[in-house]
Amino acid sequence: MLGRDPSWCVVGDSRRIAAELAGCVSPATLIRCGEPMCLHTTIGVGGPADVYVMPGGEADLLSVLGYCRTKGVPVFVFGNGSNLVVRDGGLRGVVVQLGGSGLSRVVVRGRRIECEAGLKLGTLVAAACEHGLGGVEFLDGIPGTVGGALRMNAGAFGSAFFDVVEEIRYVSTDGVVGTSPAAALAPRYRGCDFFVSCVALGAVLVLDCVDAAESALRLERYRQLRRSSQPSGRSAGCVFKNPPGVSAGRLIDELGLKGLRIGGAMVSDKHANFIVTDPGARAADVLALIDLVRARVLAAYGVELELEVQVVGHE
Ligand code: EPU
């Protein structure tokens, strides 16, 4: 969350802010008041966003961020909501979704792919395959965006997003747009601190030329692995980061916690590091279950599990 303390915003403010924002963006930008965030998170929980914005393109995004900076309105930017738990009280201020927005361009030039932050990872993988480029197959099936993958250094099957990123484009808290070599950002396992304050606008990836059959084979292998080991229902992916050298899922499973339930949230019986939800589940159910699992793991192994999912919003 950028900007000042979010506790100030009230409903009247939301309508005024929405109207003022509409005056500084193109008609391609979607603006709504009181939008339920449960509609925009893959785990399907979360209260209302005061003002929800889906920008029509980069210029509109920069206008929205500029407006919030000038007026001191807190702003929260997210991608596809696939690694996100929004509390039941929702989010104050302006909430900007890039997944599905106008920031979804992808351009392939030789071995390089230029992509905008709102591009879905599945579309990126498809574009790479279509052009005989490989190295991003591991991202297939992750329901996120390029921006989210940069923020989280998304990974699977021993690969991570920054393995293929050459350069990133960003906007800083003071509105300066810049580029940086990826190597200067010090990404780590499931995170890149640079994007805690800066918003990702896009990236240039460098991939390998691959044989189409070889690429299709890799894709099918990863899809099969995912299908056999991960649930397909509503979830936010893995809840906890793996502690060094061990799978959090295995630790939770060994304690017999698969199927453990609080309200509409349950520890997946397919992979114990996933929490799956029923329609109508509350964020409070998910968070209580997270606390319970964490306490059991701490008591049994003395290991403090660190959250991988991002938890935001008010109770
Ligand atoms: N295992 C169990 N029980 C479980 C889950 C796993 O015994 O309920 C065992 C498996 O049998 C295996 C080992 O634990 O021997 C590792 O399991 P898995 O291959 O599923 O990998 P993981 O470490 O649990 C990580 C990532 C996943 C990624 C997979 C595949 C993290 C926190 N998780 O899971 O990423 O898809 O590897 O590469 O790093 C995510 O980040 O949201 C995510 C799903």
Side-chain angles (χ1 to χ4, degrees):
M1 176 88 65
L2 312 175
R4 66 186 166 93
D5 178 72
S7 54
W8 59 276
C9 207
V10 293
V11 174
D13 282 333
S14 304
R15 298 223 175 84
R16 177 180 51 77
I17 290 167
E20 289 177 1
L21 278 174
C24 50
V25 294
S26 79
T29 288
L30 180 82
I31 303 175
R32 288 186 185 145
C33 287
E35 177 76 354
M37 287 299 290
C38 57
L39 302 178
H40 303 288
T41 56
T42 55
I43 195 167
V45 299
D50 284 342
V51 181
Y52 167 87
V53 177
M54 194 185 266
E58 186 178 299
D60 284 357
L61 168 65
L62 295 177
S63 298
V64 171
L65 296 178
Y67 170 91
C68 294
R69 192 172 53 252
T70 312
K71 304 277 183 175
V73 177
V75 57
F76 175 72
V77 180
F78 75 108
N80 203 40
S82 57
N83 198 50
L84 193 62
V85 177
V86 180
R87 294 192 184 91
D88 298 309
L91 283 158
R92 304 291 74 82
V94 170
V95 175
V96 181
Q97 177 158 27
L98 298 187
S101 76
L103 275 91
S104 309
R105 261 181 349 112
V106 54
V107 178
V108 181
R109 296 183 207 280
R111 286 178 51 217
R112 288 184 167 69
I113 299 191
E114 299 167 13
C115 42
E116 286 189 304
L119 184 74
K120 301 261 173 81
L121 295 176
T123 314
L124 168 63
V125 174
C129 288
E130 194 185 314
H131 288 83
L133 296 175
V136 283
E137 295 88 346
F138 68 97
L139 296 169
D140 191 65
I142 299 179
T145 57
V146 165
L150 288 169
R151 168 71 186 86
M152 289 307 297
N153 192 16
F157 311 118
S159 299
F161 194 47
F162 269 92
D163 297 348
V164 294
V165 179
E166 180 180 58
E167 182 180 276
I168 60 103
R169 192 171 142 75
Y170 66 93
V171 52
S172 70
T173 34
D174 43 8
V176 177
V177 173
T179 57
S180 168
L185 301 185
R188 54 185 165 76
Y189 165 64
R190 292 299 191 271
C192 180
D193 294 336
F194 181 78
F195 294 110
V196 173
S197 52
C198 291
V199 173
L201 294 175
V204 180
L205 318 181
V206 190
L207 303 184
D208 296 324
C209 295
V210 284
D211 175 62
E214 160 68 23
S215 180
L217 213 75
R218 266 193 232 170
L219 265 181
E220 193 39 50
R221 194 159 51 87
Y222 288 149
R223 278 179 193 162
Q224 178 57 36
L225 274 171
R226 223 182 270 282
R227 266 198 303 268
S228 63
S229 64
Q230 299 182 1
S232 57
R234 299 174 353 147
S235 81
C238 280
V239 172
F240 302 104
K241 293 180 187 170
N242 284 343
V246 58
S247 156
R250 173 175 289 188
L251 292 182
I252 300 165
D253 189 3
E254 280 174 0
L255 292 177
L257 301 183
K258 279 182 171 169
L260 183 68
R261 173 181 280 281
I262 294 183
M266 188 185 88
V267 175
S268 163
D269 45 24
K270 199 158 186 184
H271 193 300
N273 198 7
F274 283 65
I275 288 179
V276 290
T277 60
D278 300 332
R282 295 171 318 137
D285 300 336
V286 174
L287 295 172
L289 194 53
I290 287 176
D291 286 346
L292 182 56
V293 168
R294 227 183 196 166
R296 295 271 187 94
V297 169
L298 182 62
Y301 304 106
V303 172
E304 284 206 41
L305 289 178
E306 197 186 326
L307 276 184
E308 175 180 323
V309 292
Q310 206 186 344
V311 179
V312 296
H314 290 248
E315 288 183 2

